[in-house]
Structures are given as structure tokens and as C-alpha cells.
Amino acid sequence: MRFQFGDCVLDLDTRELSRGGKPVHIEPKAFRLLELLLADRPKALSKDELQDQLWPKTFVSERSLARLVEVVRDCTGDSAKEPRYIRTVHGFGYAFSGEVRPVSMKLLRPPPLGFHCRISWGDREVALSEGENILGRDPDTVVWIDLNSVSRRHARIVVRGETATIEDLGSRNGTYVQGERVEAPRALANGDTIKIGAAKLVFRCFRGLGSTESEVSSEIR
């Protein structure tokens, strides 16, 4: 999904920000802050709410959040004195106040050569679509995991062509692949084990259909 505000476009699928048609480098936590404020616009989010989402179970000073706001403003061409997008609610927190409109996405390409991915755990199996696949406790997610240890929107797997990457979405208990915590988007390989809260999943990728289907043996990148 893409959102446009002013001359900026935020692409939640590719985790990219562009301004004036040119890509803008933005650090992951600043991107996440912008995503949170956009999702709840025009509602003001408290500093405590934002800190819990950005630094779960970690104590940080208010200055850390203020610095991220400065980064977002710098990346979007906003100003603290004359804010167009990020409004400071003094003594409380921040809100997104700009006009936002969704941008139509190009039609997703079909997976090449019958390439497709699945997530399995226990006796359950879910096929992943080209594009974004959210994993979490929210019943509207693609991979619904009804466990209290799982956040509503815990993580996401993005499938692009023959590449699949996983990213944690600021979850309470973290996302792990092969026992390693996911701190940034990470490529998945066939057979990778994924831990989402208390749930242990397995990522699989295949080529072909039906009886001719075969697993991809090497890591997809």
C-alpha cells in the first residue's frame, strides 16, 4: 500500500519513502514512526504509546523520540515551526495532520514459473500471495495466529518475484528466524523456522503445481 502527502510517497510494501519522485534514505525506526502516525491520523498518539511501539520493553529518554521526529521532518521536508505533516501536541505527543491519499498500486505480477510460498505450523498451512502478507493475532491478517504472545500485526512477509523477506512490525515479543531476532528486513530461505511469539512456523517455497511441484532447495534472494 502506498500513501501520498505533499510531494512525498510512503510505500509500506517496499518500505521506501520518496520525495519529489526521488528516493529518500530514512532509518527503520523513523519509517516506523511515520507509519504509526499515518495509520492513526488524525488522532494524536502519546509519547508513551509511541515509545512502547518503537522500543518495546526498553527504556529510552523522550529525547530519543524527539530525535526521530526531527529525522521524519527532515526526510519529508517538514518544519517544526510551520508543520505540514507532523504536529506536536505539547505535553502529550504527536499527530499526523497532513492531507493523505492512497496511491494506486500496479497490478501484482504472477509468481514466475509457478513459484509460490507457504507458511506451515502444526497441521495448518497458508499460501502466501505476491506482495505483503501480514502475520499476527488480528483475524484480518493473512496468517492468523490466535495466541496472546502474538501481536495483532506482528510481522510481515513480502513476496516479490522469487524473493521473500520477513520484517518485524514492532511486535511485543519479537520475530525470530533460525533462532536470530529479526531487527531489519531479512531474506527467507526454504525450510527456515520462524518464531512469532510462542508459535513456531516453517517457511516453504515451491515451483510447479500439483504432482509436479518441487521445493526450492537453495536460498531465494
Side-chain angles (χ1 to χ4, degrees), residues 1-5 8-12 16-18 35 38-39 41 99-103 105:
M1 183 175 292
R2 295 177 184 174
F3 294 98
Q4 181 170 355
F5 48 95
C8 298
V9 175
L10 188 74
D11 191 322
L12 300 184
E16 293 176 310
L17 172 68
S18 62
E35 183 180 24
L38 271 170
R41 66 186 189 281
E99 183 179 344
V100 181
R101 67 180 182 87
V103 179
M105 300 287 286

Side-chain angles (χ1 to χ4, degrees), residues 24-65:
V24 176
H25 173 72
I26 181 170
E27 61 187 83
K29 283 198 183 296
F31 188 101
R32 178 62 176 151
L33 171 60
L34 182 54
E35 183 180 24
L36 290 169
L37 293 173
L38 271 170
D40 280 310
R41 66 186 189 281
K43 176 185 174 183
L45 298 180
S46 71
K47 294 176 182 178
D48 287 342
E49 286 179 280
L50 291 170
Q51 287 173 341
D52 286 345
Q53 289 286 333
L54 294 165
W55 296 278
K57 296 185 178 180
T58 303
F59 174 79
V60 295
S61 67
E62 287 191 7
R63 178 57 194 156
S64 297
L65 178 58

Side-chain angles (χ1 to χ4, degrees), residues 207-218:
R207 286 194 183 92
L209 297 171
S211 61
T212 62
E213 177 177 278
S214 61
E215 290 193 48
V216 178
S217 59
S218 60

Side-chain angles (χ1 to χ4, degrees), residues 93-183:
Y94 301 93
F96 192 93
S97 57
E99 183 179 344
V100 181
R101 67 180 182 87
V103 179
S104 298
M105 300 287 286
K106 294 181 179 179
L107 292 176
L108 297 175
R109 296 173 299 169
L113 301 177
F115 180 85
H116 54 285
C117 308
R118 301 175 188 167
I119 286 290
S120 61
W121 73 103
D123 59 353
R124 300 177 62 187
E125 188 172 76
V126 177
L128 303 179
S129 302
E130 176 90 354
E132 180 182 76
N133 300 267
I134 300 295
L135 296 76
R137 190 162 44 87
D138 190 322
D140 290 333
T141 56
V142 173
V143 183
W144 179 40
I145 306 171
D146 191 18
L147 296 174
N148 289 333
S149 59
V150 175
S151 298
R152 294 185 65 81
R153 289 171 58 87
H154 196 108
R156 70 176 187 163
I157 295 175
V158 177
V159 179
R160 290 280 185 242
E162 294 195 14
T163 300
T165 57
I166 188 169
E167 179 181 4
D168 186 77
L169 296 179
S171 66
R172 183 174 67 254
N173 294 318
T175 300
Y176 297 80
V177 174
Q178 298 294 88
E180 298 179 0
R181 184 160 188 153
V182 175
E183 302 287 356

